[in-house]
Amino acid sequence: MHITAKIDYAVRTLLEIAGATADTKIKAESIATAQGIAPKVLETVLGELRRAELITSRRGPDGGYWLARPAERISVADVIRAIEGPLASVRGERPEDVVYRGAAEPLQKVWIALRVNIRAVLENVSIADIAADALPGFVDALTGDPGAWARR
């Protein structure tokens, strides 16, 4: 699975919105500045998040953006679906529907395990988890050294 810049921007946008107080609407300009996202790109991302009903907006001087539901109920998988469509499957079809023969037979288990684990992470990490820096324990366990990824 490839995490595009647009998906990254969408998650970062939701984190900024989630960080606003419950009664506060956040302006697009504030998000763009805080996250270093080009305003035109952010406009596209906000539109897609709104169409997916992850955020709500209001125009005008008192307008802005806010989450359409609690951050605990927005998973990273929801964001990916909003921006890119359905979560990618391995090989474009379900691995269990493909016949693997001979030396490649164990490969089927690898593809299934990969799909299951990607989904487990994406479905079980919420915007609230990330915003609170309270990631589920399995994330740290999977990454081993949490700082290793950042150093790549």
Side-chain angles (χ1 to χ4, degrees), residues 14-15 18-19 71-72 125-136:
L14 288 170
L15 290 168
E72 296 81 16
V125 175
S126 73
I127 295 300
D129 294 334
I130 300 168
D133 195 12
L135 298 173

Side-chain angles (χ1 to χ4, degrees), residues 25-28 56-66:
K25 296 167 194 69
I26 189 165
K27 302 270 187 201
T56 305
S57 65
R58 179 179 307 155
R59 294 181 187 205
D62 294 331
Y65 295 90
W66 65 96

Side-chain angles (χ1 to χ4, degrees), residues 12-21 23-39 42-43 46 50 55-67:
R12 290 166 45 197
T13 296
L14 288 170
L15 290 168
E16 284 296 322
I17 295 170
T21 59
D23 298 339
T24 306
K25 296 167 194 69
I26 189 165
K27 302 270 187 201
E29 300 81 34
S30 297
I31 298 167
T33 301
Q35 291 300 318
I37 302 171
L42 180 61
E43 184 179 313
L46 287 167
R50 194 174 53 251
I55 61 171
T56 305
S57 65
R58 179 179 307 155
R59 294 181 187 205
D62 294 331
Y65 295 90
W66 65 96
L67 297 179

